Amino acid sequence: MADATFDIVSKVDKMEADNAVNQARKEVDQRYDFKNVGASVEWSGEKVLLKANTEERVKAVLEVLESKFIKRGITLRSLDEGEPYASGKEFRLEVGLKNGIDSENAKKISKIIRDEAPKSVKSQIQGDELRVSSKSRDDLQATMALLKGKDLDVALQFVNFR
């Protein structure tokens, strides 16, 4: 019998992220506490650009954006938030979306699998994802449960379970 496998990836659904940004933009436009403070939410290439006239206001806009991401099922671990910075008369904050598992986190995950998962489970790093294989599907499911229970810096999804 062939080995059972699955892939560990970290991806953000672009359409869900776009919907969350649009919802945040609508809420910021409508809310009374954001009137006359120059608050806005918009895509700027691959990042979301938040603007307001004070640092506190731009952080409040970030909270609105985060709440919309949570409602759309996107974990906050997949957001790469910068620090607010002054740009002329306004403050800006850039929020990036993390896609892919960087090599440092991939090595961390691989070490967890090697040390704590059932012995038949093997993992290998393939670019920005990991392929995990074993003869036993039950061992693979136990590995998934193990990784879900760990507090990692990256949002994980398990795909291609065969």
Side-chain angles (χ1 to χ4, degrees):
M1 185 175 148
D3 281 1
T5 63
F6 70 89
D7 294 333
I8 302 173
V9 297
S10 179
K11 292 191 169 119
V12 176
D13 184 359
K14 186 77 169 153
M15 290 305 295
E16 289 294 335
D18 194 39
N19 289 338
V21 169
N22 288 334
Q23 287 177 344
R25 181 183 309 122
K26 284 180 185 174
E27 182 170 331
V28 166
D29 288 345
Q30 292 175 353
R31 273 184 40 180
Y32 179 75
D33 56 335
F34 289 125
K35 295 283 186 224
N36 300 322
V37 295
S40 69
V41 179
E42 60 196 46
W43 280 107
S44 170
E46 285 296 308
K47 295 183 183 250
V48 181
L49 183 63
L50 311 177
K51 298 179 192 173
N53 64 359
T54 66
E55 188 173 346
E56 290 78 28
R57 285 286 118 210
V58 81
K59 286 182 178 179
V61 173
L62 176 63
E63 288 177 14
V64 170
L65 181 69
E66 287 176 342
S67 72
K68 298 305 176 191
F69 271 99
I70 290 170
K71 282 184 181 176
R72 302 299 288 169
I74 300 172
T75 178
L76 296 181
R77 287 186 183 154
S78 58
L79 297 181
D80 187 17
E81 302 165 7
E83 288 296 316
Y85 61 92
S87 174
K89 292 183 177 180
E90 66 185 7
F91 280 83
R92 294 179 175 200
L93 186 124
E94 290 184 344
V95 179
L97 300 176
K98 295 179 191 172
N99 272 321
I101 302 172
D102 61 333
S103 62
E104 181 182 314
N105 281 320
K107 288 176 185 173
K108 239 188 250 183
I109 294 167
S110 207
K111 182 172 176 15
I112 289 170
I113 291 171
R114 229 183 6 259
D115 294 346
E116 300 178 33
K119 294 297 174 206
S120 68
V121 177
K122 305 285 181 247
S123 68
Q124 56 188 150
I125 300 171
Q126 297 179 336
D128 61 351
E129 59 185 46
L130 272 89
R131 165 84 33 100
V132 181
S133 61
S134 173
K135 296 241 182 262
S136 166
R137 300 181 119 220
D138 293 339
D139 288 350
L140 290 180
Q141 288 175 339
T143 304
M144 282 184 199
L146 168 76
L147 291 173
K148 284 179 185 174
K150 293 292 178 185
D151 187 28
L152 299 167
D153 299 342
V154 65
L156 300 179
Q157 291 91 32
F158 306 105
V159 296
N160 298 335
F161 187 73
R162 298 186 181 116

